[in-house]
């Protein structure tokens, strides 16, 4: 059995649905990783249990290679699972999902190797591993510790599968563009033109001044919402933070950012991401103050 | 005595932490079990990526012991008629003793202040009961480089329980019986249901043996645990894993004790059942520079380079955790990942070579060297100009040529920072510059670029360092030092964010190998300092920076020499002599000739080892002489004014010793060692601070002359042990 890319997605959906996950859709604004989806970033906050799986198209303009590189993509696809709280057998569950994909861990070198995930822009970090399959990283496995600068409880397990990598492995392809997206339909057919045009845009055509304005405008809007619009604006504000983050990524690829500028822009995104997280927690789980306490 | 077995099973712990965690477990257990009077012996620890195991012999119950409990003071404990008071009765009741065992005695021996006390015989508790209290202490007692919240709770009064990775099982047995311990869930900051309870159930390998439906197994002892793990593809003893790896690397044709040794060591803690897999790299990559191949292999896949096969194709060995049947898959997978990486490398390498390094120098203007110190372009221009100036003033033709080459190398030294290869593989900086430079520049220049980041730019062990490489490396490091010292970034305490100490050590190591004077540190530092001032438009030249860098480098020199195994007091003695001459001359004489410093240290070390007792005696004498002479300006010795024979004898001996060439430290030191008897006799027979001022001045002059005899080589007083200190008197 050699699953196509869409077969892998369907299998993971079935697997995680059977294990109690809600099957969601990817975020509908540009993001660099499944972690940035509100289904992860905001759901891991607060006490409520949550189990979800979804495919996240992830745009990383600096990784664009015009479709020339067999391993690098402007846009790749992650399958993201959040299990909150993390079950005691979460590693075994994950290994079972590999078996469902047709990878028997006994036939391969499957290793959990230390790799602690951190996103300075989101004020988020976690403890965990990269999962290596015969030396190839196919999954990032993280116990979230903080998001938006807030220490988490309960702790969520995040499993992020690199779908292209897994497909390349299963189909024994050295070039991602030779992967079968569906039986008889190649990744090249589906995605190559997009890789070329979006790489070209990010590296050559993107208007630096415009993106600088987009960045500032998006952050300004998020800030305005958080500071002046009262409660229940966190989700809307978060969309603007994501837009700012994407504008930043485009600028980064275009070479429009100096080293010091870069640090200060990341810091601005982080401040607002933390503001969103705090506002969301306040909306959803307000601290009950007991009146009459002396 | 009976066996205590404790296994903590967890999700994969970072391999580099494991041996340290095992050490912590062993020492903490030994001290806690000792305090609990369980007489721990034969304490051993083992580990894999998924478990820490401790086994020890313990008494089956604590020793009994006597304790003294203290109660109220005598005047409260006895009533007016001398009977025990209510307070004393209360104390006896609280201590569960009868009134007749109470006594009055001083708390502090010899004090008149009496208190009531009760001696109690405490029965030792059975070991399992004690261990139940010890286990939480052990679990809580680890220091992790990084801890995680995993929603756990420990009932030890401290509550929320963080660990390195989630704990999944615990085996705790004393004499075959379970010692209870429970880790609870932590929900909303409070204790909830049980999560992991100790028992006798351990776990085997995650995947092997194939087909097993249950990976767990019950044990009654360490022997059963070890045997059970062995049957289940877990090699518990790290030494056995390392041995297995070594043997397999040898079979693969590799050298396990060569350059790969540290890597192999790292491998042994990555998996519970190590299996070495061997892969071959397609010949199309065989012409990539070795540096690139090795970097991809070692840094990105933790793989070791093996000798090439008979067709010249590069081969590698990598670690895996598979059984024999899966070796092929593991090896092919590694090859695939490595080839993908090499394809990237191939692309970047070919792209980079379409342009010369020279053409990239201007792009360095966009890269900040350090905030407040300009760009890398500024840095290379500064360094080049200083090297060109050194070439102009060099008196020997080869030196001038070397400095001209160094100037070229310095201008190109950072150009590889803007190549695609170094962006992709930052650890190759310098080396890539060297590889690219080799296409258009002389090998001397290319080598200098390739080696200039290294601690000491020696091509390979045993080869001599070239002046071009040494000058390039020293100027780069010195430029970094001068810049950071100028903006107040000198290292303090443990804070050294720019690795300036390492840079300083690099300079020192290089100069120790070089002809003295080939790189004139003071001059070069001075020129760099001026170049900074010019470039950055700073009005003042900041000369104080140079003095501080001199002191900093002498301190680094001390460190390097100590790491080479020389006795600290010998180093101090030689460096103190240099410090003295530096103070006189206003130049840092230690840094002017580093090989001579080391040579003097070698000579003194050798003589000190041969004639330990003589030099210890001299050290005391010199120390005394120094204290007496103090800052008194040395007069001229007048042989006619001597009154004692011992004075005359010492002076004659000094004159004799002065006849040895001062440039030969060994001869001079030996001559001084021969003075021992005269020196001792002098101090025994003469009072230096005589009432007659003329006599006193003459004796002081004599002592100064004695001290000066070896001051050029070493300040022997530094050999004196601190305990041998005597007050300054005559």
């Amino acid at each position: 059995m050699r699953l196509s890319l869409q077969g892998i997605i369907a299998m993971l959906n079935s697997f995680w649905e059977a294990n109690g996950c809600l099957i969601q859709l990817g975020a509908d604004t540009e993001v660099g990783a499944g972690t940035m989806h509100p289904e992860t970033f905001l759901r891991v906050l607060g006490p409520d249990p949550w189990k979800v799986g979804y495919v996240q198209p992830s745009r990383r303009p600096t990784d664009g290679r015009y479709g020339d590189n067999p391993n690098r993509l402007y846009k790749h696809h992650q399958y993201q699972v959040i299990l909150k709280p993390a079950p005691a057998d979460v590693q075994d569950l994950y290994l079972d999902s590999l078996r469902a994909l047709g990878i028997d861990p006994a036939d391969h070198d499957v290793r959990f190797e230390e790799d602690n995930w951190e996103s300075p822009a989101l004020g988020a970090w976690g403890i965990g591993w990269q999962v290596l399959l015969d030396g190839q990283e196919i999954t990032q496995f993280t116990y979230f510790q903080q998001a938006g600068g807030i220490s988490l409880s309960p702790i969520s397990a995040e499993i992020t599968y690199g779908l292209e990598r897994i497909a390349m492995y299963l189909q024994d392809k050295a070039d991602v563009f030779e992967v079968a997206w569906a039986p008889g339909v190649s990744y090249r057919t589906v995605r190559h033109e997009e890789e070329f045009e979006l790489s070209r845009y990010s590296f050559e055509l993107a208007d630096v001044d415009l993106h600088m304005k987009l960045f500032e405008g998006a952050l300004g809007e998020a800030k305005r919402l958080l500071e002046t619009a009262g409660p229940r604006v966190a989700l809307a504000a978060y969309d603007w933070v994501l837009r700012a983050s994407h504008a930043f990524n485009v600028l980064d690829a275009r070479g429009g950012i100096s080293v010091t500028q870069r640090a200060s822009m990341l810091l601005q995104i982080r401040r607002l991401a933390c503001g969103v997280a705090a506002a969301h927690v306040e909306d959803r789980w307000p601290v009950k103050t007991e009146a009459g306490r002396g | 005595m009976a066996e205590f077995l404790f296994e903590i099973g967890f999700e994969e712990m970072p391999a580099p932490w494991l041996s340290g965690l095992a050490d912590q477990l062993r020492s903490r257990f030994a001290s806690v079990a000792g305090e609990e009077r369980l007489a721990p012996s034969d304490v051993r620890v083992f580990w894999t990526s998924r478990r820490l195991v401790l086994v020890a012999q313990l008494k089956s119950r604590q020793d009994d012991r006597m304790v003294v409990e203290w109660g109220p003071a005598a005047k409260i404990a006895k009533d007016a008629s001398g009977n025990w008071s209510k307070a004393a009765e209360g104390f006896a009741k609280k201590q569960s003793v009868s009134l007749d065992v109470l006594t009055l005695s001083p708390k502090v021996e010899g004090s008149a202040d009496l208190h009531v006390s009760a001696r109690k015989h405490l029965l030792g508790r059975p070991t399992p009961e004690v261990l139940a209290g010890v286990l939480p202490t052990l679990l809580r007692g680890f220091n992790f480089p990084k801890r995680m919240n995993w929603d756990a709770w420990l009932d030890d009064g401290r509550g929320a329980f963080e660990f390195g990775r989630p704990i999944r099982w615990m085996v705790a047995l004393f004499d075959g019986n379970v010692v209870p311990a429970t880790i609870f869930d932590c929900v909303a900051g409070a204790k909830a249901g049980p999560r992991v309870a100790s028992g006798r159930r351990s776990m085997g390998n995650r995947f092997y043996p194939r087909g097993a439906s249950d990976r767990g197994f019950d044990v009654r002892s360490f022997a059963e645990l070890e045997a059970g793990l062995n049957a289940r593809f877990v090699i518990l003893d790290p030494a056995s894993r390392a041995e297995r790896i070594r043997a397999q690397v040898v079979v693969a044709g590799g050298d396990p004790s060569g350059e790969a040794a540290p890597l192999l060591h790292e491998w042994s803690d990555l998996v519970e059942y190590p299996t070495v897999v061997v892969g071959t790299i397609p010949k199309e990559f065989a012409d990539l520079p070795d540096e690139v191949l090795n970097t991809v292999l070692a840094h990105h896949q933790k793989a070791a380079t093996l000798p090439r096969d008979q067709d010249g194709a590069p081969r590698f060995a990598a670690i895996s955790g598979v059984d024999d049947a899966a070796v092929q898959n593991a090896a092919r997978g590694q090859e695939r990942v490595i080839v993908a990486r090499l394809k990237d490398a191939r692309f970047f390498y070919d792209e980079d070579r379409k342009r010369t390094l020279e053409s990239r120098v201007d792009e360095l203007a966009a890269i900040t060297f350090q905030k407040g110190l300009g760009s890398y372009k500024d840095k290379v221009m500064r360094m080049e100009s200083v090297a060109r100036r050194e070439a102009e003033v060099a008196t020997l033709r080869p030196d001038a040529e070397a400095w001209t080459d160094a100037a070229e190398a310095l201008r190109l030294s950072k150009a590889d920072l803007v190549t695609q290869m170094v962006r992709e593989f930052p650890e190759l900086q310098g080396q890539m510059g060297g590889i690219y430079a080799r296409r258009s520049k002389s090998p001397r220049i290319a080598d200098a670029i390739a080696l200039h980041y290294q601690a000491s730019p020696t091509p390979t062990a045993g080869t001599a360092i070239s002046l071009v490489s040494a000058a390039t490396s020293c100027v780069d490091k010195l430029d970094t030092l001068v810049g950071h010292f100028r903006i107040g970034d000198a290292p303090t305490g443990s804070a050294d964010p720019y690795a300036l100490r390492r840079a300083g050590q690099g300079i020192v190591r290089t100069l120790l190998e070089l002809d003295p004077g080939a790189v004139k540190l003071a001059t070069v530092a001075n020129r760099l300092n001026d170049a900074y001032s010019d470039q950055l438009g700073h009005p003042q030249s900041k000369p104080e920076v140079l003095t501080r860098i001199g002191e900093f480098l002498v301190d680094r020199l001390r460190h390097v020499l100590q790491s080479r195994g020389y006795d600290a007091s010998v180093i101090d003695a030689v460096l103190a002599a240099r410090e003295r001459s530096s103070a006189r001359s206003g130049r840092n004489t230690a840094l002017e000739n580093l090989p001579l410093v080391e040579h003097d240290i070698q000579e003194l070390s050798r003589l000190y080892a041969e004639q330990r007792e003589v030099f210890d005696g001299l050290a005391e004498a010199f120390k005394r002489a120094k204290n007496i002479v103090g800052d008194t300006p040395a007069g001229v010795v007048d042989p006619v004014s001597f009154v004692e024979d011992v004075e005359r004898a010492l002076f004659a001996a000094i004159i004799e010793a002065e006849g040895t060439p001062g440039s030969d430290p060994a001869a001079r030191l030996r001559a001084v060692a021969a003075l021992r008897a005269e020196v001792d006799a002098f101090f025994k027979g003469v009072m230096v601070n005589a009432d007659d001022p003329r006599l006193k001045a003459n004796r002081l002059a004599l002592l100064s002359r004695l001290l000066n005899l070896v001051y050029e080589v070493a300040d022997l007083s530094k050999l004196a042990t601190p305990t041998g200190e005597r007050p300054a008197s005559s």
Side-chain angles (χ1 to χ4, degrees), chain B residues 10 13-14 17 21 24 52 139-148 161-165 167:
Chain B
F10 33 70
M13 194 68 76
W17 301 359
L21 296 176
Q24 292 178 32
L52 283 168
L139 288 169
R140 183 74 80 175
F142 290 100
N143 281 315
F144 294 96
K146 199 166 193 171
R147 288 177 309 168
M148 69 176 284
F161 172 48
E162 300 197 329
F163 210 69
R165 287 292 185 275
I167 294 176

mmCIF file of all heavy atoms in Angstrom, chain B residues 10 13-14 17 21 24 52 139-148 161-165 167:
data_model
loop_
_atom_site.group_PDB
_atom_site.id
_atom_site.type_symbol
_atom_site.label_atom_id
_atom_site.label_comp_id
_atom_site.label_asym_id
_atom_site.label_seq_id
_atom_site.Cartn_x
_atom_site.Cartn_y
_atom_site.Cartn_z
ATOM 1 N N PHE B 10 10.534 6.764 31.480
ATOM 2 C CA PHE B 10 9.978 8.018 30.958
ATOM 3 C C PHE B 10 9.970 8.020 29.444
ATOM 4 O O PHE B 10 10.538 7.133 28.804
ATOM 5 C CB PHE B 10 10.767 9.223 31.475
ATOM 6 C CG PHE B 10 12.233 8.975 31.692
ATOM 7 C CD1 PHE B 10 13.082 8.793 30.610
ATOM 8 C CD2 PHE B 10 12.769 8.897 32.984
ATOM 9 C CE1 PHE B 10 14.433 8.556 30.801
ATOM 10 C CE2 PHE B 10 14.126 8.654 33.177
ATOM 11 C CZ PHE B 10 14.956 8.482 32.088
ATOM 12 N N MET B 13 14.208 10.873 27.038
ATOM 13 C CA MET B 13 14.924 11.987 27.678
ATOM 14 C C MET B 13 16.057 12.417 26.729
ATOM 15 O O MET B 13 16.651 11.559 26.078
ATOM 16 C CB MET B 13 15.506 11.487 29.003
ATOM 17 C CG MET B 13 15.990 12.550 29.956
ATOM 18 S SD MET B 13 14.650 13.547 30.635
ATOM 19 C CE MET B 13 13.928 12.452 31.852
ATOM 20 N N PRO B 14 16.355 13.723 26.659
ATOM 21 C CA PRO B 14 17.477 14.140 25.804
ATOM 22 C C PRO B 14 18.764 13.380 26.169
ATOM 23 O O PRO B 14 19.163 13.356 27.337
ATOM 24 C CB PRO B 14 17.605 15.629 26.104
ATOM 25 C CG PRO B 14 16.219 16.040 26.484
ATOM 26 C CD PRO B 14 15.642 14.859 27.237
ATOM 27 N N TRP B 17 21.643 14.588 28.543
ATOM 28 C CA TRP B 17 21.397 14.786 29.977
ATOM 29 C C TRP B 17 21.631 13.521 30.790
ATOM 30 O O TRP B 17 21.794 13.583 32.010
ATOM 31 C CB TRP B 17 19.933 15.184 30.217
ATOM 32 C CG TRP B 17 19.483 16.428 29.545
ATOM 33 C CD1 TRP B 17 20.215 17.269 28.745
ATOM 34 C CD2 TRP B 17 18.159 16.998 29.605
ATOM 35 N NE1 TRP B 17 19.425 18.301 28.315
ATOM 36 C CE2 TRP B 17 18.176 18.161 28.821
ATOM 37 C CE3 TRP B 17 16.983 16.623 30.254
ATOM 38 C CZ2 TRP B 17 17.034 18.956 28.664
ATOM 39 C CZ3 TRP B 17 15.866 17.410 30.094
ATOM 40 C CH2 TRP B 17 15.884 18.574 29.306
ATOM 41 N N LEU B 21 22.089 12.975 34.918
ATOM 42 C CA LEU B 21 20.932 12.635 35.751
ATOM 43 C C LEU B 21 21.229 11.398 36.596
ATOM 44 O O LEU B 21 20.857 11.321 37.771
ATOM 45 C CB LEU B 21 19.700 12.398 34.875
ATOM 46 C CG LEU B 21 19.201 13.600 34.075
ATOM 47 C CD1 LEU B 21 18.028 13.202 33.183
ATOM 48 C CD2 LEU B 21 18.788 14.743 35.005
ATOM 49 N N GLN B 24 23.330 12.361 39.478
ATOM 50 C CA GLN B 24 22.521 13.026 40.505
ATOM 51 C C GLN B 24 21.747 11.999 41.325
ATOM 52 O O GLN B 24 21.668 12.094 42.546
ATOM 53 C CB GLN B 24 21.520 13.985 39.856
ATOM 54 C CG GLN B 24 22.151 15.198 39.197
ATOM 55 C CD GLN B 24 21.083 16.073 38.544
ATOM 56 O OE1 GLN B 24 19.953 16.152 39.013
ATOM 57 N NE2 GLN B 24 21.425 16.716 37.457
ATOM 58 N N LEU B 52 15.998 5.463 34.027
ATOM 59 C CA LEU B 52 17.133 5.539 34.941
ATOM 60 C C LEU B 52 16.930 4.405 35.933
ATOM 61 O O LEU B 52 15.823 4.207 36.424
ATOM 62 C CB LEU B 52 17.134 6.864 35.710
ATOM 63 C CG LEU B 52 17.603 8.121 34.988
ATOM 64 C CD1 LEU B 52 17.240 9.344 35.815
ATOM 65 C CD2 LEU B 52 19.108 8.069 34.766
ATOM 66 N N LEU B 139 12.630 11.589 43.410
ATOM 67 C CA LEU B 139 11.948 12.061 42.199
ATOM 68 C C LEU B 139 12.066 13.572 42.079
ATOM 69 O O LEU B 139 12.271 14.121 40.998
ATOM 70 C CB LEU B 139 10.472 11.661 42.237
ATOM 71 C CG LEU B 139 10.190 10.175 42.023
ATOM 72 C CD1 LEU B 139 8.740 9.854 42.346
ATOM 73 C CD2 LEU B 139 10.497 9.795 40.571
ATOM 74 N N ARG B 140 11.948 14.250 43.214
ATOM 75 C CA ARG B 140 11.949 15.711 43.205
ATOM 76 C C ARG B 140 13.369 16.253 43.041
ATOM 77 O O ARG B 140 13.569 17.398 42.685
ATOM 78 C CB ARG B 140 11.321 16.188 44.519
ATOM 79 C CG ARG B 140 11.168 17.665 44.672
ATOM 80 C CD ARG B 140 10.049 18.244 43.835
ATOM 81 N NE ARG B 140 8.738 18.073 44.430
ATOM 82 C CZ ARG B 140 7.624 18.597 43.913
ATOM 83 N NH1 ARG B 140 7.678 19.344 42.822
ATOM 84 N NH2 ARG B 140 6.460 18.372 44.470
ATOM 85 N N GLY B 141 14.361 15.393 43.300
ATOM 86 C CA GLY B 141 15.720 15.902 43.484
ATOM 87 C C GLY B 141 16.536 16.164 42.234
ATOM 88 O O GLY B 141 17.682 16.558 42.330
ATOM 89 N N PHE B 142 15.984 15.964 41.049
ATOM 90 C CA PHE B 142 16.798 16.131 39.841
ATOM 91 C C PHE B 142 16.886 17.593 39.416
ATOM 92 O O PHE B 142 15.927 18.341 39.536
ATOM 93 C CB PHE B 142 16.193 15.345 38.678
ATOM 94 C CG PHE B 142 16.315 13.858 38.834
ATOM 95 C CD1 PHE B 142 15.246 13.104 39.278
ATOM 96 C CD2 PHE B 142 17.499 13.216 38.548
ATOM 97 C CE1 PHE B 142 15.346 11.732 39.428
ATOM 98 C CE2 PHE B 142 17.617 11.839 38.690
ATOM 99 C CZ PHE B 142 16.542 11.095 39.130
ATOM 100 N N ASN B 143 18.060 17.970 38.924
ATOM 101 C CA ASN B 143 18.204 19.268 38.266
ATOM 102 C C ASN B 143 18.279 19.025 36.769
ATOM 103 O O ASN B 143 19.231 18.427 36.283
ATOM 104 C CB ASN B 143 19.497 19.957 38.700
ATOM 105 C CG ASN B 143 19.342 20.585 40.057
ATOM 106 O OD1 ASN B 143 18.332 21.235 40.320
ATOM 107 N ND2 ASN B 143 20.309 20.374 40.912
ATOM 108 N N PHE B 144 17.278 19.469 36.040
ATOM 109 C CA PHE B 144 17.273 19.302 34.588
ATOM 110 C C PHE B 144 17.748 20.587 33.931
ATOM 111 O O PHE B 144 17.439 21.672 34.417
ATOM 112 C CB PHE B 144 15.864 18.985 34.094
ATOM 113 C CG PHE B 144 15.339 17.657 34.563
ATOM 114 C CD1 PHE B 144 14.528 17.578 35.676
ATOM 115 C CD2 PHE B 144 15.679 16.498 33.893
ATOM 116 C CE1 PHE B 144 14.059 16.355 36.123
ATOM 117 C CE2 PHE B 144 15.208 15.281 34.331
ATOM 118 C CZ PHE B 144 14.396 15.202 35.444
ATOM 119 N N PRO B 145 18.459 20.473 32.808
ATOM 120 C CA PRO B 145 18.806 21.687 32.053
ATOM 121 C C PRO B 145 17.536 22.454 31.669
ATOM 122 O O PRO B 145 17.546 23.662 31.559
ATOM 123 C CB PRO B 145 19.516 21.134 30.820
ATOM 124 C CG PRO B 145 20.057 19.816 31.254
ATOM 125 C CD PRO B 145 19.065 19.267 32.231
ATOM 126 N N LYS B 146 16.445 21.726 31.455
ATOM 127 C CA LYS B 146 15.175 22.368 31.133
ATOM 128 C C LYS B 146 14.067 21.445 31.642
ATOM 129 O O LYS B 146 14.075 20.268 31.333
ATOM 130 C CB LYS B 146 15.074 22.542 29.610
ATOM 131 C CG LYS B 146 14.080 23.558 29.178
ATOM 132 C CD LYS B 146 14.278 23.900 27.718
ATOM 133 C CE LYS B 146 13.495 25.141 27.360
ATOM 134 N NZ LYS B 146 13.822 25.619 26.029
ATOM 135 N N ARG B 147 13.144 22.009 32.420
ATOM 136 C CA ARG B 147 12.078 21.168 32.970
ATOM 137 C C ARG B 147 10.781 21.413 32.215
ATOM 138 O O ARG B 147 10.613 22.428 31.556
ATOM 139 C CB ARG B 147 11.836 21.517 34.438
ATOM 140 C CG ARG B 147 12.936 21.066 35.367
ATOM 141 C CD ARG B 147 12.628 21.528 36.762
ATOM 142 N NE ARG B 147 12.316 22.962 36.768
ATOM 143 C CZ ARG B 147 11.791 23.602 37.805
ATOM 144 N NH1 ARG B 147 11.493 22.952 38.896
ATOM 145 N NH2 ARG B 147 11.558 24.890 37.724
ATOM 146 N N MET B 148 9.846 20.465 32.356
ATOM 147 C CA MET B 148 8.541 20.668 31.728
ATOM 148 C C MET B 148 7.416 20.422 32.718
ATOM 149 O O MET B 148 7.518 19.596 33.630
ATOM 150 C CB MET B 148 8.366 19.763 30.505
ATOM 151 C CG MET B 148 8.240 18.283 30.839
ATOM 152 S SD MET B 148 7.907 17.275 29.357
ATOM 153 C CE MET B 148 6.179 17.644 29.074
ATOM 154 N N PHE B 161 4.567 18.990 40.095
ATOM 155 C CA PHE B 161 5.805 18.226 39.952
ATOM 156 C C PHE B 161 6.270 18.258 38.499
ATOM 157 O O PHE B 161 5.682 17.640 37.634
ATOM 158 C CB PHE B 161 5.542 16.789 40.414
ATOM 159 C CG PHE B 161 6.671 15.834 40.161
ATOM 160 C CD1 PHE B 161 7.979 16.160 40.501
ATOM 161 C CD2 PHE B 161 6.426 14.589 39.596
ATOM 162 C CE1 PHE B 161 9.015 15.267 40.280
ATOM 163 C CE2 PHE B 161 7.448 13.683 39.364
ATOM 164 C CZ PHE B 161 8.747 14.036 39.704
ATOM 165 N N GLU B 162 7.334 19.034 38.256
ATOM 166 C CA GLU B 162 7.882 19.105 36.907
ATOM 167 C C GLU B 162 9.014 18.087 36.761
ATOM 168 O O GLU B 162 9.638 17.690 37.742
ATOM 169 C CB GLU B 162 8.387 20.525 36.625
ATOM 170 C CG GLU B 162 7.278 21.556 36.730
ATOM 171 C CD GLU B 162 7.615 22.889 36.062
ATOM 172 O OE1 GLU B 162 8.810 23.255 36.030
ATOM 173 O OE2 GLU B 162 6.692 23.548 35.585
ATOM 174 N N PHE B 163 9.273 17.704 35.527
ATOM 175 C CA PHE B 163 10.331 16.715 35.274
ATOM 176 C C PHE B 163 10.916 17.014 33.902
ATOM 177 O O PHE B 163 10.505 17.965 33.231
ATOM 178 C CB PHE B 163 9.719 15.302 35.327
ATOM 179 C CG PHE B 163 10.683 14.232 35.784
ATOM 180 C CD1 PHE B 163 11.136 14.192 37.089
ATOM 181 C CD2 PHE B 163 11.141 13.260 34.895
ATOM 182 C CE1 PHE B 163 12.026 13.209 37.510
ATOM 183 C CE2 PHE B 163 12.023 12.268 35.306
ATOM 184 C CZ PHE B 163 12.461 12.242 36.611
ATOM 185 N N GLY B 164 11.910 16.223 33.474
ATOM 186 C CA GLY B 164 12.548 16.473 32.169
ATOM 187 C C GLY B 164 11.657 16.048 31.010
ATOM 188 O O GLY B 164 11.581 16.718 29.983
ATOM 189 N N ARG B 165 10.997 14.911 31.175
ATOM 190 C CA ARG B 165 10.011 14.396 30.227
ATOM 191 C C ARG B 165 8.976 13.642 31.070
ATOM 192 O O ARG B 165 9.276 13.261 32.212
ATOM 193 C CB ARG B 165 10.647 13.417 29.220
ATOM 194 C CG ARG B 165 11.523 14.062 28.155
ATOM 195 C CD ARG B 165 10.719 14.900 27.185
ATOM 196 N NE ARG B 165 11.522 15.443 26.093
ATOM 197 C CZ ARG B 165 12.222 16.575 26.153
ATOM 198 N NH1 ARG B 165 12.244 17.273 27.285
ATOM 199 N NH2 ARG B 165 12.902 16.997 25.116
ATOM 200 N N ILE B 167 6.945 10.999 33.074
ATOM 201 C CA ILE B 167 7.258 9.678 33.629
ATOM 202 C C ILE B 167 6.111 8.736 33.272
ATOM 203 O O ILE B 167 4.946 9.109 33.371
ATOM 204 C CB ILE B 167 7.434 9.765 35.160
ATOM 205 C CG1 ILE B 167 8.671 10.597 35.481
ATOM 206 C CG2 ILE B 167 7.539 8.367 35.780
ATOM 207 C CD1 ILE B 167 8.880 10.831 36.967
#
